[in-house]
Every structure is written in structure tokens, then in C-alpha cells.
């Protein structure tokens, strides 16, 4: 009889730990690697949040084929996250350098939607080139390569399958083409 309470306590703690392990994370993870696919491009990306600071450092590379023309973009990203600016929304303001010759500024808003469905989150963003020329080769944004445009916007709905993996589907569009690209993504947090 005197061993029942410790046994029940250990059993309850083990059950709670195992349930917590399977649950999706409550907050937003800025340490992740991912791959994305559209109908004409593949993108690989990684970003990390050093030592829990508000900085986000990342890179992305994309390879695609538009109307028979291959393109490759490599990009370095640096951002600052303003956490909880309104209603649980994180805002990230960033600068990106593409292929060493195109600089852009970005704004991304991100929010967990756990009140709708546990593990769901939404992201939306805008990017604009700082180049004065109208002829911008392209850049990586919203999980894909954006060609011959100075600005782009995206929206992405992600679902955290568990603490590590997230799947997402998004829409990305540039200003010069009316094509809206559907982007499918798989991300792994670390």
C-alpha cells in the first residue's frame, strides 16, 4: 500500500512526458531547414536563431526552369524578429543578398493558430529589391525563386506534425507576372 502513491506519481509523470513529446510545439521555431517545390523550381533553405537572440540568419538556394531557361539563385538572409507585436504575431524585418548583386528588404509576419487547430501556423510576407533598375534577375522568397520582378509577396499555411517536422502549402506572386505559384514545403526544426 505504501508503494502505490510513488508508483502512481511515476506513472503519471511518464504519461505526461510521453504526451508532451508527441504534441506540436506551442511557440514559433526559427531554427529550421527545409525543402520546397513548385511546378518549375526546387528550393533548399536553412535558418537559425543564434543563442535565442532576436536575430535570424539564413541561406537559400533555388534551381528552376522557366520556359526552357535554367536559373539558379543563392541567397544570404539576415533578419530581426520583433516577437509578439500584436495578437501573438511575430514580425521579422530583414535584408537579403542574392547572387552577390541584388539586395532586398523583407517583412514577414508569422503567427501560431493553436486556437484554431493545435500545431497550425500562418506566415505572410513582402519583399522588394533595393535595385533602382527595373531589370532584376530574381531572388528567393516565399519558398521559391522569383524571376524578373522587383517585388513579391507570399502567404503560407504550415502544420507542425510533431516537434521536429512541419509541412506547408503557400502561394507566392511577383509583381511583373500574374502567375501565382503554389509552393509545397517540408521543414525540420532543430
Amino acid at each position: 500500500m505504501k508503494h502505490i502513491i510513488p508508483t502512481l506519481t511515476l506513472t503519471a509523470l511518464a504519461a505526461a512526458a510521453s504526451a508532451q513529446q508527441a504534441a506540436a510545439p506551442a511557440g514559433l521555431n526559427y531554427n529550421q531547414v527545409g525543402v520546397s517545390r513548385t511546378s518549375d523550381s526546387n528550393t533548399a533553405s536553412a535558418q537559425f536563431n543564434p543563442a535565442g537572440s532576436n536575430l535570424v540568419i539564413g541561406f537559400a538556394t533555388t534551381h528552376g526552369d522557366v520556359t526552357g531557361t535554367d536559373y539558379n539563385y543563392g541567397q544570404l538572409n539576415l533578419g530581426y524578429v520583433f516577437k509578439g507585436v500584436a495578437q501573438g504575431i511575430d514580425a521579422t524585418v530583414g535584408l537579403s543578398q542574392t547572387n552577390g548583386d541584388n539586395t532586398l528588404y523583407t517583412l514577414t509576419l508569422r503567427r501560431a493558430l493553436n486556437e484554431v487547430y493545435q500545431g497550425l501556423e500562418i506566415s505572410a510576407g513582402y519583399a522588394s529589391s533595393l535595385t533602382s533598375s527595373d531589370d532584376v534577375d530574381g531572388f528567393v522568397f516565399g519558398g521559391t525563386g522569383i524571376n524578373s520582378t522587383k517585388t513579391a509577396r507570399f502567404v503560407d499555411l504550415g502544420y507542425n506534425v510533431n516537434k521536429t517536422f512541419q509541412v506547408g502549402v503557400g502561394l507566392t506572386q511577383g509583381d511583373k507576372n500574374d502567375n501565382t505559384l503554389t509552393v509545397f514545403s517540408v521543414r525540420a526544426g532543430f
Side-chain angles (χ1 to χ4, degrees):
M1 181 74 173
K2 63 182 176 180
H3 295 293
I4 290 176
I5 292 178
T7 303
L8 288 175
T9 303
L10 287 175
T11 304
L13 287 173
S18 107
Q20 189 176 28
Q21 194 74 316
L28 299 171
N29 184 6
Y30 289 93
N31 295 307
Q32 55 184 239
V33 295
V35 292
S36 300
R37 173 80 182 142
T38 68
S39 60
D40 61 8
S41 71
N42 296 306
T43 302
S45 62
Q47 70 177 26
F48 69 98
N49 178 235
S53 69
N54 285 22
L55 290 177
V56 177
I57 301 168
F59 74 89
T61 182
T62 192
H63 173 77
D65 181 10
V66 175
T67 62
T69 304
D70 282 344
Y71 63 88
N72 294 295
Y73 302 132
Q75 185 166 296
L76 296 173
N77 306 306
L78 178 63
Y80 187 86
V81 180
F82 295 93
K83 297 184 179 182
V85 293
Q87 302 296 319
I89 297 171
D90 287 1
T92 304
V93 177
L95 284 173
S96 298
Q97 182 72 34
T98 304
N99 291 347
D101 61 356
N102 187 18
T103 302
L104 10 141
Y105 68 88
T106 61
L107 172 65
T108 303
L109 303 176
R110 198 170 164 211
R111 185 179 191 282
L113 297 173
N114 291 326
E115 69 276 7
V116 175
Y117 193 82
Q118 185 68 28
L120 203 59
E121 72 176 58
I122 190 165
S123 299
Y126 176 80
S128 181
S129 175
L130 295 175
T131 305
S132 59
S133 167
D134 284 339
D135 186 23
V136 175
D137 287 338
F139 48 87
V140 184
F141 190 65
T144 190
I146 306 294
N147 295 306
S148 302
T149 183
K150 287 186 70 163
T151 65
R153 57 199 164 277
F154 84 94
V155 64
D156 179 88
L157 187 63
Y159 175 68
N160 294 301
V161 178
N162 55 34
K163 284 188 171 186
T164 304
F165 293 103
Q166 181 185 73
V167 294
V169 62
L171 299 173
T172 302
Q173 184 178 41
D175 65 351
K176 288 189 180 177
N177 59 11
D178 293 327
N179 295 339
T180 300
L181 302 171
T182 302
V183 183
F184 298 96
S185 303
V186 176
R187 305 172 191 107
F190 57 91

